[in-house]
Amino acid sequence: DTEVTQTPKHLVMGMTNKKSLKCEQHMGHRAMYWYKQKAKKPPELMFVYSYEKLSINESVPSRFSPECPNSSLLNLHLHALQPEDSALYLCASSLHTGTNYNEQFFGPGTRLTVL
Amino acid sequence: DQQVKQNSPSLSVQEGRISILNCDYTNSMFDYFLWYKKYPAEGPTFLISISSIKDKNEDGRFTVFLNKSAKHLSLHIVPSQPGDSAVYFCAASAFASNTGKLIFGQGTTLQVKP
């Protein structure tokens, strides 16, 4: 199994809603990442988990809350989002963070629209 | 401060010809470079990578060249095919950071015309 899966594929939510994005990989990777991508822009790193511990938070607002329940799963909990948070949210994984030849494999993304 | 730059937003080539996509970087700590391809509404797909100890890496139709003194890398696609039409992102990382963090360029949209 060499893929990263993400659910849901599309999500529309109001500014008062609470929702979660899910990501799963079964490649034995110990590093997992959340990125945000706006149209015609490169992916922007949000969070990095290394061996199930949060290792990087790129000054992301607290309305985004990541969680790594185990080495295969990564969640992103969303609460009180703003319309400008509408974007493609990408999950990625890699063997771990500390070596070269450490390609990140991306999921298909969740297209989030905040009304 | 953009540490990884792709100065050409778009490139159009004829099917069968060579496509050359360029990328420049400013941080001398970067020692590993990757190219990703992205179709609309999909996640980026890893294409090819190169370590700073090499100056060339080849995989089928794709070759990446690295010129460390110029802080420049390029992706060559030969021969180009219509299915190669996508956005190509260059990315860089620094092993010493031990973060796995990738810094992406802005992307180049490649169109291969039949």
Side-chain angles (χ1 to χ4, degrees):
Chain A
D1 186 353
T2 58
E3 67 172 342
V4 177
T5 59
Q6 289 187 245
T7 55
K9 196 173 173 70
H10 300 277
L11 178 62
V12 179
M13 60 186 290
M15 289 189 283
T16 58
N17 292 156
K18 284 185 182 181
K19 297 285 184 183
S20 297
L21 309 184
K22 295 186 187 305
C23 173
E24 194 165 357
Q25 58 86 15
H26 294 288
M27 295 180 277
H29 289 174
R30 303 311 299 269
M32 296 186 78
Y33 309 79
W34 280 115
Y35 287 85
K36 173 181 176 179
Q37 186 174 26
K38 293 276 214 178
K40 300 191 186 301
K41 296 287 188 182
E44 291 177 42
L45 183 67
M46 300 174 71
F47 302 103
V48 180
Y49 272 84
S50 177
Y51 290 85
E52 297 138 63
K53 287 187 167 38
L54 183 65
S55 60
I56 295 181
N57 176 342
E58 291 284 280
S59 303
V60 179
S62 59
R63 56 186 184 269
F64 295 91
S65 174
E67 179 197 19
C68 189
N70 60 56
S71 60
S72 300
L73 290 174
L74 187 65
N75 298 321
L76 186 63
H77 303 297
L78 314 172
H79 174 53
L81 294 194
Q82 304 295 309
E84 59 264 28
D85 296 322
S86 299
L88 181 68
Y89 286 84
L90 294 162
C91 173
S93 71
S94 65
L95 274 174
H96 35 79
T97 60
T99 61
N100 272 342
Y101 305 96
N102 195 23
E103 296 82 10
Q104 291 182 24
F105 295 87
F106 284 82
T110 293
R111 172 68 60 190
L112 173 67
T113 303
V114 181
L115 301 176
Chain B
D1 175 30
Q2 225 179 315
Q3 299 183 68
V4 179
K5 298 178 187 177
Q6 293 176 255
N7 291 318
S8 299
S10 62
L11 175 67
S12 181
V13 300
Q14 209 64 37
E15 182 179 6
R17 299 290 189 111
I18 184 171
S19 296
I20 300 176
L21 297 102
N22 294 304
C23 179
D24 297 294
Y25 62 96
T26 56
N27 189 339
S28 57
M29 296 298 290
F30 289 148
D31 55 7
Y32 192 58
F33 305 89
L34 309 90
W35 284 95
Y36 284 86
K37 171 181 176 180
K38 188 178 184 303
Y39 294 117
E42 292 185 12
T45 301
F46 169 71
L47 270 178
I48 192 168
S49 61
I50 188 166
S51 165
S52 59
I53 62 172
K54 295 186 174 182
D55 53 19
K56 176 183 173 181
N57 189 25
E58 196 170 349
D59 184 1
R61 296 187 297 117
F62 302 92
T63 303
V64 57
F65 296 91
L66 175 62
N67 182 335
K68 282 181 296 190
S69 59
K71 294 192 177 70
H72 176 83
L73 62 154
S74 60
L75 175 68
H76 293 212
I77 307 174
V78 182
S80 301
Q81 299 172 352
D84 296 329
S85 298
V87 179
Y88 288 77
F89 289 100
C90 164
S93 71
F95 168 60
S97 72
N98 197 27
T99 63
K101 185 172 177 177
L102 291 181
I103 308 297
F104 284 87
Q106 295 293 311
T108 297
T109 300
L110 173 66
Q111 183 186 27
V112 180
K113 297 179 180 177

